Amino acid sequence: MISEKIILGIDPGTTIMGFGIISVKRGKMEMVSIHELILKKYPNHETKLKYIFERTLSLIDEFHPDEVALEAPFFGKNVQSMLKLGRAQGVAMAASLYRNIPITEYSPKKIKMAITGNGNASKEQVAGMLQNLLNLKEFPTKYLDASDGLAVAVCHHFNSGTITDTKSYSGWESFLKQNPDRLK
């Protein structure tokens, strides 16, 4: 019996959110789908969060991933941007946990390192390497946020069984145990 694993990778964003889905059979990766959610057209942050939750759930329900991997927000100078990005990530995490799918977070540097061997690689370099790794004749999207979602899924596959510097949660209880500071 051939075991197949489906991994949903998510690059959280408040302007464009990227999603990449891969299938792994006998250690061989194949791109299943790539999506982006364009959020800049929505009038407020609350509406964006609603669409992030709905889109994440719809992809989970359509593709039935075994695991979800997310890019962890990086620390920038703009606190408001960080808060909004963290909320977007949290909503995607909530949708995954709502469907009881284990989630893992990766830092942007770790993702770039896993894909290109260079933690400071550009988005274009990551997309080019993904094209090679997944044997894509051309890249199926113009948005690099979508390719970043795909990179998160591939990074997760490469790190399966050897995960360090990441956080994994198998459900709400696991999340709360590992994050007691988030309880009030």
Side-chain angles (χ1 to χ4, degrees), residues 41-96:
K41 60 186 174 189
Y42 297 110
N44 58 52
H45 191 62
E46 295 78 16
T47 303
K48 291 177 182 185
L49 295 176
K50 174 184 179 279
Y51 283 110
I52 290 167
F53 188 82
E54 290 174 350
R55 184 62 173 143
T56 304
L57 275 182
S58 74
L59 289 171
I60 289 169
D61 292 344
E62 181 179 353
F63 295 100
H64 307 286
D66 300 292
E67 298 170 358
V68 172
L70 294 111
E71 182 174 310
F74 59 91
F75 296 99
K77 292 180 182 177
N78 185 329
V79 176
Q80 280 297 342
S81 294
M82 282 298 303
L83 284 171
K84 288 179 179 178
L85 190 57
R87 288 178 188 150
Q89 182 200 30
V91 167
M93 291 170 78
S96 303

Side-chain angles (χ1 to χ4, degrees), residues 96-115:
S96 303
L97 293 171
Y98 184 72
R99 291 289 191 249
N100 294 312
I101 300 172
I103 57 176
T104 305
E105 297 177 80
Y106 294 92
S107 71
K109 269 194 182 300
K110 183 158 183 96
I111 295 165
K112 291 174 183 179
M113 183 63 104
I115 304 302

